[in-house]
Amino acid sequence: MPTPPRLLIVAHDVVQPRMAGPGIRALELARALAPELPVALAVPHAAPAAKEPFPLLPYEPGRWESLRPAASRAGALLVNPFTLAAFPALAALGTPLAVDLYDPFPLENLQPLRGAPPAERAAVQARDLALLRHALAVGDFFLCANGRQRDAWLGALMAAGRVNPATADADPTLASLLAEVPFGLPDAPFA
């Protein structure tokens, strides 16, 4: 039986030769961390046939039983708010949970819906804020992509009660709560 990963990164979007930002982010985080610790990358649908220095574990979106074995064996989990929404049981495992906030989706989603009906815009904003509030409540550690995001996310963490006198006294830099990890792009295409 293979050694369980110390860190399981759960991608909520596909990891394949043509992929969007969430897949790229998850893959590049796994590639960057693999030399330092045993890592595995859980990917929706079939795992690509790429050769990586870590296992690519397929799961079926929305089917907890397809992700549960890998998640239950991991020493720590790295997810994003959408993954937590799809698999709320991840937060109940008792496993250290890092949440990647590289994508400020509640703000980002305001622009493409500018011409949509007000009720639709309000529903999307309410959904996004609920996802964010849940992630801020259950995460043990958070990642962001740059200094401007760090400032914004520290404000959100403060509003959520996660930055308070106790956390500030324990770590005045708050680096043990929120780390800046730039968005990485590969040197070579994924194949």
Side-chain angles (χ1 to χ4, degrees), residues 47-85:
K51 293 188 189 232
E52 295 292 344
F54 48 84
L56 292 159
L57 310 173
Y59 71 87
E60 290 302 315
R63 290 197 55 240
W64 171 239
E65 284 307 310
S66 68
L67 183 59
R68 186 188 55 76
S72 297
R73 294 179 64 223
L77 300 166
L78 174 57
V79 302
N80 67 30
F82 294 98
T83 305
L84 284 173

Side-chain angles (χ1 to χ4, degrees), residues 1-186:
M1 177 176 272
T3 303
R6 282 189 34 211
L7 176 64
L8 177 66
I9 300 171
V10 184
H12 88 279
D13 201 0
V14 296
V15 173
Q16 58 190 14
R18 292 180 56 93
M19 61 186 136
I24 295 168
R25 176 77 167 177
L27 178 62
E28 292 305 315
L29 285 170
R31 284 177 173 167
L33 293 170
E36 306 300 322
L37 66 137
V39 68
L41 177 59
V43 296
H45 307 294
K51 293 188 189 232
E52 295 292 344
F54 48 84
L56 292 159
L57 310 173
Y59 71 87
E60 290 302 315
R63 290 197 55 240
W64 171 239
E65 284 307 310
S66 68
L67 183 59
R68 186 188 55 76
S72 297
R73 294 179 64 223
L77 300 166
L78 174 57
V79 302
N80 67 30
F82 294 98
T83 305
L84 284 173
F87 297 106
L90 288 168
L93 289 174
T95 303
L97 184 63
V99 179
D100 190 4
L101 300 172
Y102 91 93
D103 179 7
F105 62 95
L107 184 59
E108 181 180 83
N109 285 339
L110 293 174
Q111 185 60 35
L113 294 173
R114 188 170 296 275
E120 180 183 348
R121 294 180 78 195
V124 169
Q125 183 70 5
R127 179 211 63 195
D128 287 353
L129 292 176
L131 289 174
L132 179 58
R133 284 185 196 106
H134 177 67
L136 296 177
V138 302
D140 298 303
F141 182 71
F142 301 90
L143 303 178
C144 64
N146 57 51
R148 289 180 71 183
Q149 282 189 0
R150 189 172 194 279
D151 291 343
W153 291 128
L154 282 174
L157 286 161
M158 186 168 35
R162 302 299 302 273
V163 174
N164 53 55
T167 56
D169 288 349
D171 177 9
T173 68
L174 300 170
S176 61
L177 181 64
L178 178 63
E180 213 176 293
V181 179
F183 191 92
L185 291 175

